[in-house]
PDB file of all heavy atoms in Angstrom:
ATOM      1  N   ASP B 246      73.006 122.195 118.715  1.00 87.00           N
ATOM      2  CA  ASP B 246      71.642 121.832 119.112  1.00 87.00           C
ATOM      3  C   ASP B 246      71.232 120.517 118.453  1.00 87.00           C
ATOM      4  O   ASP B 246      70.240 120.459 117.741  1.00 87.00           O
ATOM      5  CB  ASP B 246      70.698 122.973 118.685  1.00 87.00           C
ATOM      6  CG  ASP B 246      69.274 122.715 119.154  1.00 87.00           C
ATOM      7  OD1 ASP B 246      69.108 121.921 120.117  1.00 87.00           O
ATOM      8  OD2 ASP B 246      68.343 123.280 118.538  1.00 87.00           O
ATOM      9  N   ARG B 248      69.449 117.137 117.753  1.00 90.00           N
ATOM     10  CA  ARG B 248      68.106 116.831 118.225  1.00 90.00           C
ATOM     11  C   ARG B 248      67.835 115.343 118.307  1.00 90.00           C
ATOM     12  O   ARG B 248      66.929 114.921 118.991  1.00 90.00           O
ATOM     13  CB  ARG B 248      67.088 117.470 117.280  1.00 90.00           C
ATOM     14  CG  ARG B 248      67.219 118.965 117.340  1.00 90.00           C
ATOM     15  CD  ARG B 248      65.909 119.628 117.055  1.00 90.00           C
ATOM     16  NE  ARG B 248      66.048 121.043 117.297  1.00 90.00           N
ATOM     17  CZ  ARG B 248      65.482 121.949 116.531  1.00 90.00           C
ATOM     18  NH1 ARG B 248      64.770 121.588 115.480  1.00 90.00           N
ATOM     19  NH2 ARG B 248      65.608 123.222 116.819  1.00 90.00           N
ATOM     20  N   LEU B 307      61.238 115.620 109.942  1.00 86.00           N
ATOM     21  CA  LEU B 307      60.502 116.874 109.953  1.00 86.00           C
ATOM     22  C   LEU B 307      61.264 117.926 110.730  1.00 86.00           C
ATOM     23  O   LEU B 307      62.094 117.600 111.577  1.00 86.00           O
ATOM     24  CB  LEU B 307      59.171 116.679 110.687  1.00 86.00           C
ATOM     25  CG  LEU B 307      58.071 115.886 109.993  1.00 86.00           C
ATOM     26  CD1 LEU B 307      56.899 115.769 110.940  1.00 86.00           C
ATOM     27  CD2 LEU B 307      57.681 116.581 108.695  1.00 86.00           C
ATOM     28  N   SER B 308      60.918 119.145 110.459  1.00 87.00           N
ATOM     29  CA  SER B 308      61.423 120.207 111.315  1.00 87.00           C
ATOM     30  C   SER B 308      60.512 120.289 112.529  1.00 87.00           C
ATOM     31  O   SER B 308      59.314 120.487 112.398  1.00 87.00           O
ATOM     32  CB  SER B 308      61.421 121.524 110.562  1.00 87.00           C
ATOM     33  OG  SER B 308      61.631 122.559 111.488  1.00 87.00           O
ATOM     34  N   ARG B 309      61.060 120.088 113.691  1.00 85.00           N
ATOM     35  CA  ARG B 309      60.220 120.060 114.904  1.00 85.00           C
ATOM     36  C   ARG B 309      60.458 121.269 115.793  1.00 85.00           C
ATOM     37  O   ARG B 309      59.855 121.395 116.851  1.00 85.00           O
ATOM     38  CB  ARG B 309      60.484 118.783 115.691  1.00 85.00           C
ATOM     39  CG  ARG B 309      59.955 117.566 114.938  1.00 85.00           C
ATOM     40  CD  ARG B 309      60.449 116.280 115.529  1.00 85.00           C
ATOM     41  NE  ARG B 309      60.597 115.253 114.501  1.00 85.00           N
ATOM     42  CZ  ARG B 309      59.655 114.362 114.195  1.00 85.00           C
ATOM     43  NH1 ARG B 309      58.522 114.320 114.845  1.00 85.00           N
ATOM     44  NH2 ARG B 309      59.853 113.513 113.228  1.00 85.00           N
ATOM     45  N   GLY B 310      61.407 122.123 115.404  1.00 82.00           N
ATOM     46  CA  GLY B 310      61.633 123.293 116.244  1.00 82.00           C
ATOM     47  C   GLY B 310      61.348 124.548 115.450  1.00 82.00           C
ATOM     48  O   GLY B 310      60.596 124.538 114.486  1.00 82.00           O
ATOM     49  N   GLU B 311      61.996 125.650 115.851  1.00 84.00           N
ATOM     50  CA  GLU B 311      61.759 126.903 115.158  1.00 84.00           C
ATOM     51  C   GLU B 311      62.554 127.006 113.864  1.00 84.00           C
ATOM     52  O   GLU B 311      62.154 127.707 112.952  1.00 84.00           O
ATOM     53  CB  GLU B 311      62.129 128.091 116.067  1.00 84.00           C
ATOM     54  CG  GLU B 311      60.987 128.535 116.962  1.00 84.00           C
ATOM     55  CD  GLU B 311      61.180 128.030 118.389  1.00 84.00           C
ATOM     56  OE1 GLU B 311      62.119 128.499 119.037  1.00 84.00           O
ATOM     57  OE2 GLU B 311      60.404 127.141 118.815  1.00 84.00           O
ATOM     58  N   THR B 312      63.678 126.323 113.820  1.00 86.00           N
ATOM     59  CA  THR B 312      64.529 126.444 112.634  1.00 86.00           C
ATOM     60  C   THR B 312      64.025 125.521 111.522  1.00 86.00           C
ATOM     61  O   THR B 312      64.041 124.308 111.675  1.00 86.00           O
ATOM     62  CB  THR B 312      65.977 126.070 112.989  1.00 86.00           C
ATOM     63  OG1 THR B 312      65.931 125.012 113.939  1.00 86.00           O
ATOM     64  CG2 THR B 312      66.706 127.240 113.571  1.00 86.00           C
ATOM     65  N   PRO B 313      63.566 126.107 110.416  1.00 87.00           N
ATOM     66  CA  PRO B 313      62.909 125.305 109.378  1.00 87.00           C
ATOM     67  C   PRO B 313      63.847 124.325 108.676  1.00 87.00           C
ATOM     68  O   PRO B 313      63.414 123.273 108.247  1.00 87.00           O
ATOM     69  CB  PRO B 313      62.386 126.347 108.393  1.00 87.00           C
ATOM     70  CG  PRO B 313      63.189 127.577 108.646  1.00 87.00           C
ATOM     71  CD  PRO B 313      63.593 127.558 110.076  1.00 87.00           C
ATOM     72  N   HIS B 315      66.240 122.606 109.952  1.00 92.00           N
ATOM     73  CA  HIS B 315      66.812 121.622 110.864  1.00 92.00           C
ATOM     74  C   HIS B 315      65.803 120.483 111.070  1.00 92.00           C
ATOM     75  O   HIS B 315      64.813 120.634 111.763  1.00 92.00           O
ATOM     76  CB  HIS B 315      67.155 122.308 112.191  1.00 92.00           C
ATOM     77  CG  HIS B 315      67.932 121.434 113.118  1.00 92.00           C
ATOM     78  ND1 HIS B 315      68.395 121.897 114.331  1.00 92.00           N
ATOM     79  CD2 HIS B 315      68.329 120.154 113.042  1.00 92.00           C
ATOM     80  CE1 HIS B 315      69.042 120.909 114.938  1.00 92.00           C
ATOM     81  NE2 HIS B 315      69.004 119.854 114.179  1.00 92.00           N
ATOM     82  N   LEU B 316      66.029 119.363 110.426  1.00 92.00           N
ATOM     83  CA  LEU B 316      65.049 118.274 110.427  1.00 92.00           C
ATOM     84  C   LEU B 316      65.545 117.116 111.260  1.00 92.00           C
ATOM     85  O   LEU B 316      66.748 116.853 111.332  1.00 92.00           O
ATOM     86  CB  LEU B 316      64.818 117.771 108.994  1.00 92.00           C
ATOM     87  CG  LEU B 316      64.668 118.834 107.913  1.00 92.00           C
ATOM     88  CD1 LEU B 316      64.518 118.165 106.548  1.00 92.00           C
ATOM     89  CD2 LEU B 316      63.467 119.735 108.190  1.00 92.00           C
ATOM     90  N   ASP B 317      64.628 116.397 111.875  1.00 92.00           N
ATOM     91  CA  ASP B 317      65.044 115.180 112.574  1.00 92.00           C
ATOM     92  C   ASP B 317      63.930 114.155 112.540  1.00 92.00           C
ATOM     93  O   ASP B 317      62.806 114.447 112.165  1.00 92.00           O
ATOM     94  CB  ASP B 317      65.449 115.477 114.016  1.00 92.00           C
ATOM     95  CG  ASP B 317      64.261 115.890 114.848  1.00 92.00           C
ATOM     96  OD1 ASP B 317      63.483 114.988 115.275  1.00 92.00           O
ATOM     97  OD2 ASP B 317      64.067 117.099 115.064  1.00 92.00           O
ATOM     98  N   ILE B 323      59.970 117.980 121.600  1.00 85.00           N
ATOM     99  CA  ILE B 323      61.094 118.843 121.283  1.00 85.00           C
ATOM    100  C   ILE B 323      61.533 119.652 122.494  1.00 85.00           C
ATOM    101  O   ILE B 323      62.705 119.905 122.715  1.00 85.00           O
ATOM    102  CB  ILE B 323      60.753 119.751 120.081  1.00 85.00           C
ATOM    103  CG1 ILE B 323      61.996 120.526 119.615  1.00 85.00           C
ATOM    104  CG2 ILE B 323      59.640 120.702 120.387  1.00 85.00           C
ATOM    105  CD1 ILE B 323      62.966 119.671 118.901  1.00 85.00           C
TER     106      ILE B 323
END
Side-chain angles (χ1 to χ4, degrees):
Chain B
D246 184 22
R248 296 209 173 141
L307 287 177
S308 167
R309 291 168 211 266
E311 273 102 67
T312 36
H315 189 177
L316 316 177
D317 68 79
I323 188 73

